[in-house]
Amino acid sequence: MIEHIRKYFPELSETQLRQFETMMREYPEWNSKINVISRKDIENLEVNHILHSLALAKFIKFTPGSRVMDFGTGGGFPGIPLAAMFPEVSFHLVDRTGKKVRVAREVAEACGLGNVTFQHGDVAECKEKFDFVVSRAVMPQADLLKICRKNISAEQRNALPNGLITLKGGELGDELKTLRTRSEVVEVSNWFDEDFFKEKKIVYTGF
């Protein structure tokens, strides 16, 4: 049921494996009621959504005690899979669409994830500080930086300086023109073999 996750993360505990299996059951069930993943793509849930989210776990190992905001989480990506991967890290999932937040909350509860909080609304309303903000293709990197800059903590506790980490696809030359000296782009295909990841990238902009 989660063969790809097992393949790339053989170190997962039995608890974590159960949590990912629960996601594989819960998301299709909720998606039939509240559409958070396109109907045709729900069949590719493991690779296109869960494993894609977990690419961030190949890029950075968050230090226990870290705080991470998932900006524009939708139904909980990448936040929910990352919360299962890093049980000693706190994740705050923010989205403007209430029904999507509801799905993320229900899935997190079904998985027994106690390290996730939720916010229905605009990120501008969030005054908390985080080590990192993560996001999956919500908006251009520079625009996202302007919005979430106030939420990045000055206190450093990870090997990588605090900042913004996004999952993106396609050509990013123009988008990153003004951020080139501050950003790092890594191909997800460095870690995952599936065709879906050929054009996928992680973009990190440090503070």
Side-chain angles (χ1 to χ4, degrees):
M1 190 177 183
I2 52 168
E3 60 182 292
H4 299 279
I5 295 168
R6 287 176 181 271
K7 172 184 173 184
Y8 293 112
F9 297 95
E11 73 279 11
L12 291 175
S13 69
E14 287 302 316
T15 297
Q16 289 172 311
L17 292 172
R18 281 197 301 273
Q19 288 170 332
F20 286 117
E21 286 169 351
T22 300
M23 288 176 215
M24 290 293 294
R25 289 194 305 272
E26 289 287 316
Y27 272 114
E29 189 173 320
W30 276 103
N31 211 58
S32 64
K33 307 170 196 170
I34 300 172
N35 195 21
V36 293
I37 297 170
S38 70
R39 303 288 188 206
K40 60 177 172 43
D41 204 31
I42 193 68
E43 294 175 5
N44 302 311
L45 171 65
E46 185 192 1
V47 170
N48 295 14
H49 298 280
I50 299 177
L51 193 60
H52 189 207
S53 298
L54 294 178
L56 294 177
K58 292 292 190 183
F59 178 71
I60 180 173
K61 302 293 185 217
F62 295 115
T63 300
S66 295
R67 303 193 71 227
V68 179
M69 177 203 283
D70 179 359
F71 180 101
T73 188
F77 301 103
I80 297 286
L82 289 176
M85 183 62 67
F86 297 103
E88 295 179 343
V89 174
S90 298
F91 291 86
H92 185 60
L93 279 53
V94 183
D95 202 274
R96 288 179 172 179
T97 307
K99 64 182 182 179
K100 291 183 178 180
V101 173
R102 182 191 171 198
V103 172
R105 191 190 301 274
E106 294 283 355
V107 173
E109 191 172 317
C111 292
L113 295 172
N115 57 332
V116 189
T117 54
F118 300 88
Q119 179 184 330
H120 170 215
D122 196 301
V123 74
E125 301 162 5
C126 181
K127 310 301 182 190
E128 298 174 58
K129 297 286 187 181
F130 302 89
D131 300 284
F132 292 94
V133 173
V134 299
S135 191
R136 193 164 76 137
V138 170
M139 62 177 67
Q141 195 87 348
D143 296 342
L144 189 46
L145 269 176
K146 288 175 190 171
I147 294 169
C148 71
R149 182 187 299 273
K150 65 178 177 55
N151 298 107
I152 302 294
S153 172
E155 181 187 346
Q156 303 285 336
R157 67 180 115 208
N158 285 271
L160 202 63
N162 294 355
L164 172 65
I165 312 174
T166 56
L167 290 161
K168 291 182 176 287
E171 172 53 46
L172 299 173
D174 289 342
E175 178 178 336
L176 298 178
K177 197 175 293 182
T178 61
L179 299 172
R180 193 166 289 128
T181 58
R182 297 171 53 197
S183 299
E184 179 183 354
V185 181
V186 182
E187 303 286 339
V188 176
S189 58
N190 288 348
W191 305 297
F192 302 151
D193 300 331
E194 288 73 19
D195 287 346
F196 174 76
F197 298 111
K198 283 182 179 174
E199 300 289 319
K200 303 300 181 188
K201 300 173 178 67
I202 286 174
V203 181
Y204 161 68
T205 304
F207 279 68

